[in-house]
Amino acid sequence: MLKANDIGYWYDRQENSLFEHVNLEFESGTSYAIVGQSGSGKTTFLSLLAGLDKPRAGQIELNGEPINKIGLTNYRRSHVAIVFQSYNLFNYMSPLNNLMTAMAITKSSHQGDKEYAADMLRKLGITDEQMKKNVQKLSGGQQQRVAIARTMCCDAKVVVADEPTGNLDEENTKDVIEQFQKIAHEQKKCVIIVTHEPDVAAMCDHSYRLAKHEFSLEK
Amino acid sequence: MNFCKRAWLNITAKKGRSILLILVTSAIMLFVLAGLLIRNAADTATSNAKKSVGATVTLSANREAAFKKMRQSTSTSKKKTKPTLSTSPVKLSDAKKIAKLSNVSSYNATVSTSANAKGFSAISTSSSSNGGGMKGGMGGSSTSSGDITIDGVTATSSVSDFSSSSSKITKGRGITAADEGTNNVVIESELAKEDSLKVGDTIKLKATTGTKKTYTLKIVGIYKASSSTSSSQGPDASDPSNSVYTSYTFANTIKGSKYKNTADSVTFNISDPAKVSSVKTAGKKLINTSKYSLSTDDSSYQTVKASMDNVKSFADKIVWLVAIAGTIILALIVILMIRERRYEIGVLLSLGEARWKIVAQFFVEMVMVLIVSIVIAGAGGKFVGNQLGKQLVSQQTTTATTSTSTSSQGQMGGGTPGGTTGGSKPSGNMKGGGGGGGSMPGSSSSSSSTASASQTDLDISVTIMDLVELGGFGLAIMFLSIMLASGGILRLQPKKVLIE
Ligand SMILES: Nc1ncnc2c1ncn2[C@@H]1O[C@H](COP(=O)(O)OP(=O)(O)OP(=O)(O)O)[C@@H](O)[C@H]1O
Ligand SMILES: [Mg+2]
């Protein structure tokens, strides 16, 4: 459903391009891991898929339609959900309000349904008490789970995550990846996770390695 | 309307920051409100002053034309006799025509003459050369000046000394239009004390000219002249306590039969001082301008207007200065706040929120702060406005009072206030504004200055309209600040924020 069509990207000069002529396809109901050395350009590639930046060459297509035709803001609002290492939650809100806000902005089909949002949080182990206090009073792992719950509440069919387990312990990491797997398999979404942990990559359905400016399928 | 909810959540969650913002905004709003209050009060005071400060048009003999005529006759005739200045008394029929013009609220005819006291003694002053001792003595009868000054008027209430309260009726009543044709008299309290006269008593006056008859007058009132009140008779005059007020008809009777239905001058009170010159123009068409002239006196009005205009322009400057300074301060605060909230903006952008809705969220937050601040400023505004108003008015009044005492013994024509527009422009500070009052010396008579001092009272109170106006200013300030600061939001790249 999501297709990288001959894309290339560089920051200042084309000679220093991170990658060029990349052709990849991501299907719904599947989870993908992207691994690679630090500085190889994983985050950069993910930001292109998330519609946060435009590729220098080629284009990203969603179900055959270039995303810059959909409009990047519109694409981000309706088609993609983002989970980054730093959780990207509103720090002045409770977990519940974070979800409600995201559902309102993305005009989710469950918009305004507090019980639905609470259900998602409960599924990820956030207690009713926790979901009502300020999100900053939660632990890193809990905050990451709130961010994941948020992607579950929104209708976006593409979920991109950049090192979502970066500062979680082993147990939490396993938990979080299981949730992503559920999102892919139960909600039939396309989940793309950037990680440097081999364990995480092993848990995903497929795994790509970015090395020497090229992507190669590992699994 | 999700951005409104976000704004509310943000304001309530970050209490410390919100309170600081409210304090800063309240301070700015307080200054704007103080300026608005003073400006509005100055507005009201100016329009009140317009209504209550007397502006007058006076009909009198055309002395200028008379002088011209006299000089002409001197140059043509070779006679060595001293030329005489012949002026005609004002005809009351002319006065009645002018009184019918629009904007003329009332008129007062004045006839001045004198007579000798008979059967009672006038107050004698040591400096006076022709003391009251003559008591109607035969020798003195040929002089045209008696020891009692008679001011014939239509009504004492419209005499400037009375309207400015420098003279007051203490017992009985003043002369009114109803006293026309009667021999009723109002005497000064010192004279009453000296001769043990009471309201209801009668006194006798002997005319020094014309018929030289003796008239019996009935005392209907006693007035007290303030010691500072200067008489208008010049140095030769007898003691001011010897001035009595009668109806102008009685004064005419004393002067002689040819003075019937005339007056020395007639003063018209103009209801709207701004219309003085149009009344003058209209009046001129009704009279023989070679014999009579119409002169205007709206100096008190001009004085009040000038000083009020100064307060107003000062207040205007406060409003604008504070509004501009407030916008700059708030814009800087909002810019800092937005920089501090880059991450939040990045998250919103990554969720696909429209940029204008993010700007709208900040605006709604500031409006919430503004509403609380206006309530606080409204509570504090009365206090600040009062202090400012008091200071401005006290300086106005002091200068006005000073000019009253310095504007010498109220010579009749005493110089129009040429200096009303004088020096001190209100500069940025309080003193400068108050100094506006300093630019009104040279008021023509004590009465006009007193009037202006009492008119400059600023009535400071916070009305709903003031708060609405303040809200308008506040909204404009907030809008401008957000617009200035939103450049950052509109340029912000979500990728940079989220990846850093
Ligand atoms: N804004 C930028 N301007 C210029 N160069 C940049 C910018 N952002 C990243 N780079 C460079 O691009 C390269 C790829 O960065 P990116 O963040 O995509 O790597 P990554 O694979 O995610 O690394 P990591 O595993 O450490 O997160 C790096 O060499 C980095 O220095
Ligand atoms: Mg990275």
Side-chain angles (χ1 to χ4, degrees), chain B residues 66-263:
Chain B
F67 272 117
K68 222 174 182 179
K69 212 169 160 190
M70 176 185 88
R71 266 183 237 108
Q72 272 170 0
S73 66
T74 324
S75 58
T76 50
S77 73
K78 277 155 185 104
K79 278 185 271 171
K80 282 235 162 176
T81 53
K82 211 178 166 195
T84 52
L85 181 66
S86 71
T87 57
S88 352
V90 172
K91 281 186 286 182
L92 282 178
S93 54
D94 280 349
K96 278 175 183 148
K97 275 189 255 168
I98 293 174
K100 284 196 183 107
L101 291 172
S102 57
N103 290 315
V104 177
S105 54
S106 64
Y107 71 99
N108 189 38
T110 9
V111 179
S112 287
T113 184
S114 64
N116 279 323
K118 198 169 181 192
F120 71 102
S121 50
I123 307 256
S124 60
T125 41
S126 52
S127 64
S128 177
S129 52
N130 51 343
M134 337 211 286
K135 236 186 208 180
M138 289 300 137
S141 60
S142 60
T143 56
S144 62
S145 167
D147 48 15
I148 297 291
T149 307
I150 299 170
D151 287 322
V153 296
T154 306
T156 42
S157 58
S158 42
V159 172
S160 65
D161 274 353
F162 285 93
S163 58
S164 70
S165 303
S166 67
S167 291
K168 278 193 190 80
I169 299 287
T170 52
K171 285 194 184 81
R173 58 173 181 86
I175 297 294
T176 65
D179 290 311
E180 252 177 56
T182 67
N183 286 5
N184 290 342
V185 66
V186 171
I187 65 169
E188 212 278 328
S189 56
E190 287 300 320
L191 184 70
K193 215 186 277 170
E194 185 86 6
D195 291 293
S196 316
L197 295 168
K198 306 186 298 290
V199 172
D201 288 354
T202 55
I203 52 170
K204 286 197 168 92
L205 286 177
K206 189 174 191 302
T208 51
T209 54
T211 57
K212 303 200 179 175
K213 270 195 210 157
T214 300
Y215 297 91
T216 304
L217 294 92
K218 189 179 169 210
I219 299 169
V220 294
I222 291 172
Y223 75 95
K224 182 157 177 43
S226 80
S227 51
S228 71
T229 305
S230 50
S231 64
S232 52
Q233 277 81 13
D236 282 350
S238 57
D239 192 276
S241 295
N242 290 332
S243 282
V244 302
Y245 288 95
T246 67
S247 172
Y248 72 96
T249 53
F250 178 76
N252 279 339
T253 313
I254 293 270
K255 281 174 92 174
S257 56
K258 68 168 179 173
Y259 287 96
K260 203 169 181 213
N261 286 324
T262 66

Side-chain angles (χ1 to χ4, degrees), chain A residues 11-12 18 37-44 163:
Chain A
Y11 278 101
D12 22 68
L18 291 171
Q37 275 190 332
S38 179
S40 56
K42 302 182 297 291
T43 299
T44 306
E163 316 234 12

Side-chain angles (χ1 to χ4, degrees), chain B residues 256-309:
Chain B
S257 56
K258 68 168 179 173
Y259 287 96
K260 203 169 181 213
N261 286 324
T262 66
D264 294 352
S265 67
V266 180
T267 305
F268 302 93
N269 293 315
I270 308 304
S271 52
D272 180 359
K275 295 276 159 56
V276 159
S277 55
S278 71
V279 170
K280 186 184 175 183
T281 319
K284 269 187 168 173
K285 290 184 187 135
L286 299 172
I287 56 165
N288 177 355
T289 47
S290 66
K291 270 184 162 174
Y292 307 112
S293 72
L294 275 175
S295 59
T296 58
D297 181 9
D298 59 349
S299 57
S300 344
Y301 167 65
Q302 295 296 348
T303 307
V304 170
K305 192 169 172 283
S307 62
M308 280 307 176
D309 283 351

